[in-house]
Amino acid sequence: MPQFETAFDLSTMPPFVVRAGGKKLDGSLINLASNESPFGPSPKVLEALSKRQTQLNRYPDMGSVELRNAIADHFNLESDRIVCGNGGDTLIHGLAVAYASNGYEIMYSEFGFIMFRRAALAVNAKPVVVAEENYTFSVDNALAAVSDKTRILYIANPNNPTGTYLGSIELLRLREELPDHIILMIDDAYVEYSEGLGAPNALDLARDRNDIVVLRTFSKVYGLAALRLGWVYAPKEIAENLNRVRLPFTINGMAQAAGVAALEDTNHTDMVLSHTHSWLPKLSDKLNGLGLEPLPSVGNFVTVRFPSPKKSAKMAQAYLESHNIIPRTAADYGMPEFLRISVGLEEENLALISTLEDFLDS
Ligand SMILES: Cc1ncc(COP(=O)(O)O)c(C=O)c1O
């Protein structure tokens, strides 16, 4: 048998967490595991997709020009600083490929989004984990961990799975006090939800600066997780390098068409946001009332601690799953006492609460 050695050590790469043990996530399950929109996409997106499906034999536009122009118009940005990707994850990865491969350091916080660690390990960079304070990113701890080898600092704001965020003053202090050679990527995957709740929109910080990379996704409020579409707003030179390392046709044609249509339908996104903003505090209050400890989230999810070992997060997860409700464990984040629960449709949220009540009474 030949021995196929990897080019560098991949053995510490965390395994993917398979929701509900790989059960098929069809309509019979209440899936609250992945912070998706329970409403799906706008009807305008479905219309755009049905038109685009007549061209499935054609390669997509390699440069995603129409989509980038639509994003630039919508957010008042320069289109040549936008790079699209097959989901935001691929752009987190691409930045690591271009700037930190082979021995450089990538920093992220203790409970930071799992892709940051994965990206570092996948390119043979050294992960540098910064301790959080109260489940929140600490600027001082990050600054103290900087070295000459640090190339990238990733911060999700608000963060998944904690749902906490840094305000604009702290974020800007982080950028100002970080050495110039370090790229700051602010991952704004949940910003549509959090903006109304006081968190900064990093595009407002990045628009006139040349030292911040902002990540956005169509997977959350736009309800397009299955199509895989994300984008970054970056300084021109970084945008060019991200384009050099990405695969040419990675943003498929259906996703490009859907993205343009999704941006147009602001009524749809307003509806999703107003539902989420009404349910997030209700869910947190209910969980609190049950003696559980929700973190103060501003995303479309709440991460909740089960303080009693007799009624642990793991037991709650098993109980919910046996009732066809799928939460997300936070154990792989080093938070085994917590479950992360997405805001669902009204009837899904009610089912979650009553099933948790039954679990805690059982
Ligand atoms: C913080 C954060 N960033 C980025 C993403 C990636 O989104 P996608 O690859 O679906 O665009 C997610 C998805 O859950 C996320 O939680």
Side-chain angles (χ1 to χ4, degrees), residues 203-299:
L203 288 175
D204 291 338
L205 309 181
R207 209 171 266 111
D208 299 323
R209 300 182 64 110
N210 226 6
D211 54 5
I212 293 177
V213 178
V214 182
L215 178 73
R216 301 282 292 242
T217 179
F218 280 90
S219 296
K220 307 298 173 187
V221 75
Y222 299 103
L224 293 178
L227 285 180
R228 314 303 303 128
L229 184 60
W231 54 280
V232 294
Y233 196 57
K236 245 183 217 149
E237 179 197 329
I238 295 180
E240 279 167 18
N241 285 329
L242 285 173
N243 275 321
R244 287 190 174 103
V245 297
R246 76 176 168 85
L247 300 176
F249 296 113
T250 181
I251 308 104
N252 75 73
M254 300 294 267
Q256 292 185 36
V260 173
L263 289 173
E264 282 166 10
D265 194 351
T266 51
N267 286 338
H268 183 77
T269 42
D270 287 348
M271 179 276 290
V272 177
L273 290 176
S274 106
H275 172 86
T276 312
H277 288 153
S278 110
W279 266 102
L280 186 69
K282 278 192 232 168
L283 269 183
S284 296
D285 288 352
K286 292 273 187 198
L287 294 168
N288 247 321
L290 293 177
L292 305 176
E293 296 169 5
L295 294 175
S297 171
V298 292

XYZ file of all heavy atoms in Angstrom, residues 203-299:
749
model
N -19.437 47.965 6.782
C -19.265 48.652 5.493
C -19.135 50.156 5.719
O -18.396 50.838 5.000
C -20.456 48.374 4.566
C -20.543 46.965 3.994
C -21.835 46.809 3.193
C -19.324 46.627 3.130
N -19.835 50.665 6.731
C -19.733 52.103 7.023
C -18.326 52.463 7.496
O -17.870 53.578 7.287
C -20.748 52.510 8.111
C -22.171 52.425 7.584
O -22.353 52.475 6.353
O -23.085 52.288 8.416
N -17.666 51.512 8.128
C -16.295 51.769 8.576
C -15.313 51.609 7.414
O -14.322 52.328 7.318
C -15.894 50.801 9.704
C -16.844 50.676 10.901
C -16.291 49.706 11.933
C -17.072 52.037 11.541
N -15.604 50.649 6.530
C -14.624 50.279 5.498
C -14.692 51.170 4.258
O -13.705 51.287 3.525
C -14.857 48.831 5.067
N -15.860 51.788 4.045
C -16.100 52.494 2.780
C -14.956 53.451 2.438
O -14.466 53.465 1.322
C -17.424 53.249 2.872
C -18.109 53.415 1.554
C -19.520 53.961 1.704
N -20.529 52.915 1.762
C -21.253 52.601 2.835
N -21.082 53.260 3.968
N -22.140 51.641 2.782
N -14.508 54.230 3.410
C -13.485 55.239 3.114
C -12.107 54.845 3.621
O -11.224 55.687 3.751
C -13.887 56.584 3.746
C -15.200 57.064 3.170
O -15.417 56.858 1.964
O -16.016 57.603 3.944
N -11.936 53.589 3.964
C -10.639 53.180 4.492
C -10.028 52.135 3.577
O -10.704 51.501 2.784
C -10.769 52.564 5.893
C -11.343 53.477 6.929
C -11.371 52.787 8.266
N -10.034 52.478 8.745
C -9.460 53.093 9.787
N -10.104 54.005 10.462
N -8.234 52.765 10.157
N -8.746 51.939 3.763
C -8.036 51.005 2.911
C -7.422 49.868 3.704
O -6.439 49.279 3.286
C -6.935 51.780 2.178
C -6.944 51.404 0.728
O -7.833 50.660 0.292
N -5.957 51.864 -0.011
N -7.998 49.586 4.877
C -7.347 48.593 5.721
C -8.340 47.676 6.440
O -8.011 47.094 7.463
C -6.430 49.288 6.751
C -7.171 50.341 7.566
O -8.402 50.470 7.404
O -6.508 51.032 8.361
N -9.555 47.608 5.905
C -10.552 46.709 6.506
C -11.178 45.878 5.393
O -11.510 46.406 4.328
C -11.658 47.516 7.239
C -11.083 48.233 8.471
C -12.813 46.613 7.654
C -12.086 49.101 9.210
N -11.313 44.589 5.649
C -12.030 43.707 4.722
C -13.346 43.318 5.400
O -13.332 42.874 6.552
C -11.211 42.427 4.425
C -11.987 41.494 3.498
C -9.857 42.782 3.820
N -14.449 43.509 4.703
C -15.762 43.178 5.277
C -16.337 41.975 4.534
O -16.296 41.928 3.302
C -16.746 44.366 5.135
C -18.091 44.021 5.768
C -16.165 45.616 5.767
N -16.867 41.042 5.285
C -17.488 39.854 4.682
C -19.003 39.910 4.856
O -19.492 40.222 5.951
C -16.953 38.594 5.363
C -17.552 37.266 4.867
C -17.032 36.915 3.484
C -17.238 36.130 5.832
N -19.730 39.610 3.802
C -21.196 39.539 3.886
C -21.671 38.229 3.241
O -20.966 37.628 2.443
C -21.831 40.717 3.124
C -21.438 42.082 3.609
C -22.169 42.496 4.855
N -23.583 42.726 4.638
C -24.210 43.895 4.808
N -23.537 44.977 5.165
N -25.503 44.006 4.634
N -22.882 37.830 3.584
C -23.422 36.593 3.009
C -24.879 36.762 2.596
O -25.599 37.573 3.182
C -23.309 35.425 4.008
O -23.859 34.253 3.406
C -24.063 35.680 5.305
N -25.285 35.980 1.606
C -26.701 35.907 1.220
C -27.394 34.727 1.917
O -28.540 34.431 1.626
C -26.829 35.746 -0.297
C -26.670 37.038 -1.062
C -25.426 37.456 -1.513
C -27.768 37.853 -1.335
C -25.274 38.637 -2.221
C -27.633 39.038 -2.042
C -26.382 39.439 -2.477
N -26.675 34.046 2.809
C -27.230 32.824 3.418
C -28.229 33.091 4.531
O -28.947 32.189 4.932
C -26.107 31.979 4.023
O -25.237 31.532 3.039
N -28.219 34.296 5.093
C -29.006 34.519 6.313
C -30.302 35.251 5.977
O -31.279 34.625 5.614
C -28.150 35.261 7.343
C -26.801 34.572 7.623
C -26.972 33.192 8.209
C -25.664 32.455 8.334
N -25.830 31.071 8.738
N -30.287 36.584 6.065
C -31.552 37.311 5.919
C -32.169 37.131 4.525
O -33.386 37.171 4.364
C -31.355 38.804 6.286
C -30.632 39.559 5.193
C -32.676 39.459 6.614
N -31.340 36.879 3.516
C -31.862 36.716 2.151
C -32.366 35.304 1.877
O -32.926 35.039 0.810
C -30.786 37.087 1.123
C -30.323 38.519 1.226
C -29.101 38.839 1.820
C -31.109 39.566 0.747
C -28.674 40.158 1.925
C -30.695 40.892 0.852
C -29.476 41.172 1.441
O -29.064 42.478 1.542
N -32.098 34.385 2.797
C -32.646 33.029 2.667
C -32.097 32.221 1.505
O -32.799 31.413 0.905
N -30.797 32.410 1.189
C -30.224 31.716 0.017
C -29.094 30.758 0.394
O -28.188 30.533 -0.412
C -29.681 32.762 -0.975
C -30.721 33.646 -1.648
C -30.041 34.672 -2.564
C -31.668 32.784 -2.481
N -29.162 30.178 1.587
C -28.030 29.356 2.052
C -27.693 28.226 1.079
O -26.523 27.890 0.879
C -28.328 28.794 3.438
N -28.712 27.648 0.448
C -28.452 26.496 -0.431
C -27.686 26.887 -1.694
O -26.995 26.062 -2.290
C -29.774 25.830 -0.829
N -27.813 28.138 -2.112
C -27.160 28.536 -3.362
C -25.691 28.876 -3.193
O -24.951 28.927 -4.158
C -27.885 29.727 -3.994
C -29.206 29.386 -4.670
C -29.822 30.643 -5.268
C -28.995 28.350 -5.767
N -25.259 29.131 -1.952
C -23.873 29.457 -1.622
C -23.444 30.763 -2.284
O -22.953 30.775 -3.424
C -22.900 28.314 -2.027
C -23.329 26.923 -1.636
C -23.566 26.801 -0.135
N -22.393 27.163 0.629
C -22.404 28.069 1.635
N -23.505 28.691 2.001
N -21.297 28.336 2.286
N -23.650 31.842 -1.598
C -23.264 33.142 -2.144
C -22.857 34.095 -1.024
O -23.619 34.343 -0.091
C -24.442 33.743 -2.936
C -24.166 35.062 -3.662
C -23.040 34.908 -4.683
C -25.433 35.565 -4.358
N -21.636 34.593 -1.127
C -21.147 35.592 -0.184
C -20.262 36.566 -0.936
O -19.963 36.372 -2.127
N -19.856 37.630 -0.272
C -18.966 38.601 -0.930
C -18.145 39.354 0.101
O -18.499 39.375 1.276
C -19.754 39.578 -1.809
C -20.883 40.323 -1.164
C -22.141 39.859 -0.919
C -20.869 41.678 -0.658
N -22.902 40.832 -0.313
C -22.151 41.974 -0.145
C -19.892 42.685 -0.606
C -22.489 43.197 0.409
C -20.224 43.922 -0.048
C -21.513 44.164 0.451
N -17.037 39.911 -0.368
C -16.269 40.789 0.508
C -16.126 42.156 -0.127
O -16.168 42.313 -1.350
C -14.846 40.278 0.841
C -14.884 39.004 1.658
C -14.014 40.119 -0.386
N -15.937 43.141 0.741
C -15.540 44.479 0.308
C -14.145 44.695 0.861
O -13.931 44.642 2.083
C -16.507 45.527 0.850
C -16.362 46.839 0.130
C -16.514 46.903 -1.254
C -16.061 48.016 0.815
C -16.380 48.101 -1.937
C -15.928 49.222 0.132
C -16.087 49.250 -1.243
O -15.962 50.432 -1.933
N -13.189 44.889 -0.038
C -11.785 44.881 0.383
C -11.027 46.025 -0.277
O -11.449 46.538 -1.317
C -11.141 43.551 -0.019
N -9.900 46.409 0.275
C -9.012 47.302 -0.462
C -8.689 46.658 -1.815
O -8.622 45.426 -1.912
C -7.767 47.357 0.427
C -8.263 47.018 1.803
C -9.389 46.047 1.599
N -8.475 47.504 -2.845
C -8.338 46.991 -4.219
C -7.293 45.889 -4.357
O -7.507 44.869 -5.005
C -7.969 48.148 -5.145
C -9.065 48.409 -6.145
C -8.695 49.485 -7.118
C -9.969 50.262 -7.380
N -9.864 51.628 -7.672
N -6.155 46.112 -3.732
C -5.054 45.154 -3.871
C -5.452 43.788 -3.281
O -5.150 42.736 -3.857
C -3.869 45.752 -3.100
C -2.638 44.930 -3.075
C -1.709 45.425 -1.956
O -1.703 46.635 -1.633
O -0.996 44.558 -1.407
N -6.161 43.821 -2.187
C -6.595 42.550 -1.570
C -7.666 41.898 -2.442
O -7.651 40.678 -2.655
C -7.105 42.793 -0.130
C -5.956 43.270 0.761
C -7.742 41.521 0.448
C -6.324 43.547 2.205
N -8.560 42.717 -2.994
C -9.590 42.169 -3.894
C -8.919 41.470 -5.080
O -9.316 40.366 -5.479
C -10.517 43.283 -4.370
N -7.896 42.087 -5.625
C -7.203 41.477 -6.771
C -6.568 40.143 -6.386
O -6.634 39.163 -7.120
C -6.107 42.425 -7.281
C -6.681 43.507 -8.174
C -5.676 44.640 -8.439
O -4.444 44.438 -8.229
O -6.149 45.716 -8.835
N -5.985 40.110 -5.208
C -5.349 38.856 -4.791
C -6.372 37.770 -4.476
O -6.134 36.595 -4.764
C -4.411 39.109 -3.610
C -3.133 39.787 -4.072
O -2.691 39.571 -5.203
N -2.560 40.620 -3.235
N -7.516 38.171 -3.927
C -8.573 37.173 -3.698
C -9.051 36.608 -5.038
O -9.343 35.412 -5.152
C -9.748 37.802 -2.947
C -9.512 38.055 -1.461
C -10.674 38.843 -0.856
C -9.341 36.732 -0.708
N -9.118 37.460 -6.051
C -9.517 36.967 -7.377
C -8.463 36.045 -7.976
O -8.790 35.118 -8.714
C -9.785 38.145 -8.322
C -11.203 38.660 -8.161
O -12.133 37.868 -7.984
N -11.380 39.969 -8.197
N -7.198 36.291 -7.648
C -6.138 35.413 -8.178
C -6.247 34.005 -7.613
O -5.985 33.034 -8.307
C -4.759 35.971 -7.831
C -4.403 37.181 -8.630
C -2.927 37.577 -8.455
N -2.640 38.657 -9.367
C -2.543 39.943 -9.004
N -2.642 40.298 -7.738
N -2.322 40.867 -9.908
N -6.599 33.892 -6.328
C -6.564 32.556 -5.720
C -7.889 31.800 -5.840
O -7.937 30.598 -5.598
C -6.146 32.582 -4.224
C -4.730 33.118 -4.072
C -7.119 33.382 -3.367
N -8.969 32.476 -6.237
C -10.242 31.754 -6.290
C -10.356 30.969 -7.605
O -9.655 31.253 -8.577
C -11.423 32.706 -6.111
C -11.749 33.524 -7.326
C -12.990 34.373 -7.112
N -13.122 35.355 -8.181
C -13.700 35.095 -9.346
N -14.180 33.896 -9.618
N -13.783 36.042 -10.272
N -11.253 29.993 -7.613
C -11.484 29.237 -8.833
C -12.379 30.065 -9.751
O -13.246 30.813 -9.278
C -12.138 27.895 -8.507
C -11.298 26.999 -7.588
C -12.059 25.734 -7.223
C -9.972 26.653 -8.237
N -12.205 29.933 -11.079
C -12.870 30.888 -11.983
C -14.386 30.882 -11.921
O -15.007 31.935 -11.888
C -12.368 30.473 -13.372
C -11.743 29.131 -13.204
C -11.310 29.017 -11.779
N -15.009 29.701 -11.925
C -16.481 29.646 -12.048
C -17.147 29.300 -10.727
O -18.194 28.668 -10.683
C -16.870 28.626 -13.130
C -16.386 29.030 -14.484
C -15.406 28.287 -15.138
C -16.890 30.162 -15.108
C -14.953 28.666 -16.386
C -16.443 30.552 -16.354
C -15.466 29.808 -17.001
N -16.528 29.720 -9.648
C -16.991 29.270 -8.342
C -18.342 29.857 -7.918
O -19.021 29.302 -7.074
C -15.891 29.558 -7.288
O -16.321 29.110 -6.045
C -15.576 31.015 -7.188
N -18.744 30.989 -8.520
C -20.044 31.577 -8.155
C -21.029 31.190 -9.258
O -20.984 31.731 -10.365
C -19.967 33.108 -8.006
C -18.827 33.466 -7.064
C -21.275 33.679 -7.476
C -17.614 33.996 -7.729
N -21.912 30.237 -8.948
C -22.725 29.675 -10.025
C -23.769 30.668 -10.527
O -24.130 31.636 -9.852
C -23.335 28.339 -9.596
C -24.471 28.539 -8.632
O -25.551 28.969 -9.026
N -24.235 28.236 -7.369
N -24.258 30.419 -11.738
C -25.139 31.373 -12.417
C -26.461 31.572 -11.696
O -27.008 32.688 -11.666
N -26.993 30.503 -11.104
C -28.259 30.635 -10.376
C -28.050 31.562 -9.171
O -28.884 32.413 -8.874
C -28.750 29.264 -9.894
C -29.013 28.260 -10.993
S -30.386 28.713 -12.076
C -31.736 27.865 -11.268
N -26.935 31.390 -8.499
C -26.649 32.215 -7.320
C -26.501 33.685 -7.722
O -27.003 34.586 -7.042
C -25.381 31.719 -6.631
N -25.823 33.933 -8.834
C -25.635 35.323 -9.273
C -26.983 35.979 -9.566
O -27.252 37.120 -9.149
C -24.736 35.378 -10.506
C -23.301 34.967 -10.206
C -22.371 35.149 -11.404
O -22.503 36.084 -12.176
N -21.414 34.251 -11.548
N -27.846 35.254 -10.287
C -29.163 35.811 -10.626
C -29.982 36.024 -9.349
O -30.670 37.050 -9.187
C -29.897 34.860 -11.573
N -29.908 35.073 -8.440
C -30.680 35.164 -7.199
C -30.212 36.345 -6.346
O -31.030 37.055 -5.745
C -30.538 33.865 -6.402
N -28.919 36.559 -6.303
C -28.376 37.648 -5.495
C -28.897 39.003 -5.960
O -29.314 39.840 -5.148
N -28.913 39.198 -7.278
C -29.405 40.480 -7.825
C -30.865 40.681 -7.422
O -31.254 41.754 -6.931
C -29.256 40.496 -9.370
C -29.916 41.741 -9.960
C -27.792 40.415 -9.768
N -31.677 39.641 -7.586
C -33.112 39.767 -7.275
C -33.335 39.949 -5.773
O -34.215 40.708 -5.355
C -33.857 38.531 -7.780
N -32.526 39.264 -4.972
C -32.708 39.345 -3.513
C -32.491 40.770 -3.015
O -33.214 41.251 -2.139
C -31.752 38.387 -2.813
N -31.508 41.447 -3.577
C -31.220 42.817 -3.120
C -32.371 43.756 -3.421
O -32.620 44.720 -2.704
C -29.950 43.343 -3.812
C -28.634 42.715 -3.374
C -27.498 43.213 -4.259
C -28.339 43.029 -1.906
N -33.085 43.442 -4.533
C -34.170 44.352 -4.949
C -35.369 44.286 -4.008
O -36.090 45.264 -3.845
C -34.647 43.980 -6.366
C -33.696 44.496 -7.433
C -33.965 43.861 -8.791
O -34.992 43.169 -8.966
O -33.102 44.061 -9.681
N -35.597 43.128 -3.395
C -36.841 42.959 -2.643
C -36.658 43.329 -1.168
O -36.587 42.477 -0.285
C -37.356 41.521 -2.774
C -38.796 41.415 -2.296
O -39.310 42.404 -1.726
O -39.408 40.342 -2.484
N -36.621 44.621 -0.911
C -36.393 45.055 0.472
C -37.619 44.783 1.353
O -37.487 44.662 2.562
C -36.016 46.553 0.535
O -36.993 47.277 -0.205
C -34.658 46.812 -0.054
N -38.812 44.660 0.730
C -39.993 44.306 1.553
C -39.787 42.946 2.203
O -40.162 42.720 3.349
C -41.261 44.210 0.689
C -41.730 45.590 0.291
O -41.386 46.564 0.947
N -42.495 45.663 -0.786
N -39.204 42.026 1.430
C -38.991 40.678 1.958
C -38.000 40.714 3.131
O -38.261 40.143 4.191
C -38.490 39.749 0.851
C -38.330 38.335 1.306
N -39.391 37.483 1.477
C -37.226 37.626 1.671
C -38.964 36.313 1.918
N -37.651 36.363 2.044
N -36.878 41.398 2.935
C -35.895 41.427 4.031
C -36.471 42.170 5.243
O -36.240 41.755 6.385
C -34.549 42.059 3.599
O -34.820 43.201 2.815
C -33.697 41.126 2.801
N -37.255 43.209 5.003
C -37.874 43.923 6.139
C -38.791 42.988 6.924
O -38.831 43.025 8.159
C -38.697 45.129 5.662
C -37.794 46.270 5.206
O -36.581 46.210 5.464
O -38.315 47.208 4.568
N -39.528 42.142 6.196
C -40.441 41.204 6.870
C -39.634 40.215 7.734
O -39.971 39.968 8.901
C -41.261 40.463 5.790
C -42.243 39.439 6.296
S -41.510 37.829 6.620
C -41.151 37.235 4.967
N -38.549 39.687 7.163
C -37.724 38.721 7.911
C -37.132 39.396 9.156
O -37.147 38.833 10.258
C -36.582 38.169 7.019
C -35.673 37.226 7.814
C -37.144 37.466 5.794
N -36.660 40.626 8.974
C -36.043 41.333 10.110
C -37.077 41.639 11.184
O -36.810 41.470 12.377
C -35.381 42.635 9.630
C -34.123 42.423 8.788
C -33.585 43.751 8.277
C -33.052 41.705 9.599
N -38.285 42.054 10.762
C -39.232 42.420 11.808
C -39.683 41.173 12.577
O -39.848 41.225 13.803
C -40.367 43.282 11.227
O -41.538 42.568 11.126
N -39.834 40.045 11.903
C -40.158 38.791 12.593
C -39.034 38.438 13.593
O -39.304 38.101 14.749
C -40.322 37.665 11.560
C -40.462 36.303 12.171
N -41.665 35.784 12.579
C -39.534 35.357 12.475
C -41.481 34.579 13.090
N -40.195 34.291 13.039
N -37.796 38.536 13.133
C -36.661 38.145 13.992
C -36.566 39.075 15.199
O -36.358 38.630 16.332
C -35.341 38.189 13.191
O -35.553 37.514 11.951
C -34.197 37.530 13.946
N -36.740 40.371 14.929
C -36.619 41.335 16.038
C -37.751 41.181 17.044
O -37.604 41.503 18.209
C -36.581 42.771 15.490
C -35.290 43.071 14.801
N -35.160 43.997 13.801
C -34.050 42.532 14.959
C -33.902 44.026 13.383
N -33.211 43.142 14.066
N -38.893 40.676 16.579
C -39.948 40.484 17.561
C -39.732 39.179 18.334
O -40.024 39.095 19.525
C -41.326 40.603 16.888
O -41.977 39.382 16.836
N -39.165 38.160 17.683
C -39.030 36.863 18.363
C -37.771 36.708 19.216
O -37.781 35.980 20.211
C -39.127 35.713 17.347
C -40.545 35.239 17.289
C -41.478 35.520 16.325
C -41.222 34.461 18.285
N -42.685 34.959 16.654
C -42.551 34.303 17.858
C -40.838 33.892 19.496
C -43.499 33.588 18.589
C -41.780 33.180 20.236
C -43.093 33.035 19.781
N -36.694 37.369 18.814
C -35.436 37.168 19.565
C -35.594 37.512 21.054
O -35.253 36.684 21.920
C -34.310 37.980 18.911
C -32.921 37.769 19.486
C -32.399 36.372 19.176
C -31.955 38.809 18.935
N -36.148 38.696 21.401
C -36.314 38.975 22.841
C -37.325 38.048 23.493
O -37.147 37.664 24.659
C -36.797 40.432 22.890
C -37.176 40.801 21.507
C -36.512 39.844 20.565
N -38.363 37.664 22.743
C -39.363 36.748 23.346
C -38.707 35.414 23.687
O -38.925 34.861 24.759
C -40.514 36.490 22.354
C -41.565 37.575 22.323
C -42.786 37.079 21.540
C -43.142 38.085 20.475
N -44.075 37.672 19.483
N -37.914 34.910 22.756
C -37.240 33.622 23.003
C -36.309 33.728 24.212
O -36.305 32.856 25.083
C -36.402 33.227 21.782
C -37.051 32.369 20.706
C -36.023 32.037 19.628
C -37.599 31.070 21.312
N -35.508 34.811 24.235
C -34.565 34.976 25.344
C -35.308 35.060 26.672
O -34.902 34.438 27.658
C -33.725 36.244 25.167
O -32.948 36.106 24.026
N -36.425 35.836 26.691
C -37.201 35.960 27.939
C -37.745 34.612 28.389
O -37.700 34.260 29.564
C -38.387 36.925 27.758
C -37.909 38.362 27.667
O -36.704 38.601 27.903
O -38.732 39.236 27.325
N -38.268 33.863 27.424
C -38.846 32.550 27.770
C -37.759 31.636 28.330
O -37.962 30.927 29.307
C -39.446 31.874 26.532
C -40.658 32.574 25.986
C -41.901 32.069 26.698
C -43.151 32.641 26.050
N -44.317 32.538 26.907
N -36.592 31.641 27.685
C -35.503 30.759 28.135
C -35.062 31.157 29.539
O -34.855 30.309 30.405
C -34.330 30.829 27.150
C -34.620 30.261 25.749
C -33.516 30.629 24.764
C -34.790 28.750 25.793
N -34.950 32.461 29.752
C -34.630 32.972 31.089
C -35.641 32.501 32.112
O -35.288 32.048 33.203
C -34.698 34.507 31.060
C -33.328 35.105 31.264
O -32.553 34.599 32.065
N -33.056 36.155 30.522
N -36.913 32.608 31.729
C -38.003 32.205 32.613
C -37.933 30.720 32.964
O -38.453 30.303 34.005
N -37.288 29.946 32.109
C -37.161 28.503 32.378
C -35.919 28.200 33.225
O -35.579 27.036 33.439
C -37.066 27.732 31.058
C -38.318 27.740 30.161
C -38.053 27.003 28.854
C -39.487 27.103 30.901
N -35.226 29.260 33.660
C -34.032 29.052 34.485
C -32.784 28.785 33.647
O -31.745 28.392 34.187
N -32.882 29.013 32.343
C -31.705 28.839 31.476
C -31.028 30.213 31.317
O -31.581 31.233 31.736
C -32.129 28.267 30.124
C -32.916 26.956 30.230
C -33.400 26.493 28.861
C -32.055 25.856 30.872
N -29.831 30.206 30.720
C -29.069 31.461 30.672
C -28.684 31.819 29.241
O -27.620 31.444 28.757
C -27.815 31.305 31.543
C -28.159 31.098 33.007
C -26.957 30.673 33.854
O -25.812 30.623 33.336
O -27.176 30.360 35.038
N -29.572 32.540 28.549
C -29.242 32.930 27.178
C -28.199 34.043 27.146
O -28.258 34.965 27.965
C -30.578 33.442 26.620
C -31.388 33.827 27.816
C -30.923 32.979 28.963
N -27.253 33.963 26.211
C -26.319 35.076 26.000
C -27.084 36.200 25.290
O -28.065 35.936 24.586
C -25.129 34.608 25.142
C -24.207 33.571 25.788
C -23.141 33.103 24.782
C -23.524 34.155 27.023
N -26.627 37.436 25.460
C -27.374 38.566 24.878
C -27.118 38.707 23.371
O -26.321 39.514 22.937
C -26.804 39.777 25.633
C -25.430 39.355 26.024
C -25.436 37.872 26.206
N -27.797 37.921 22.579
C -27.513 37.860 21.142
C -28.168 38.998 20.366
O -29.265 39.436 20.698
C -28.055 36.537 20.597
O -27.997 36.526 19.189
N -27.495 39.459 19.303
C -28.130 40.387 18.361
C -28.170 39.772 16.955
O -28.269 40.482 15.959
C -27.413 41.762 18.331
C -27.607 42.515 19.632
C -25.930 41.598 18.009
N -28.069 38.451 16.871
C -28.152 37.774 15.573
C -29.570 37.280 15.325
O -30.542 37.842 15.843
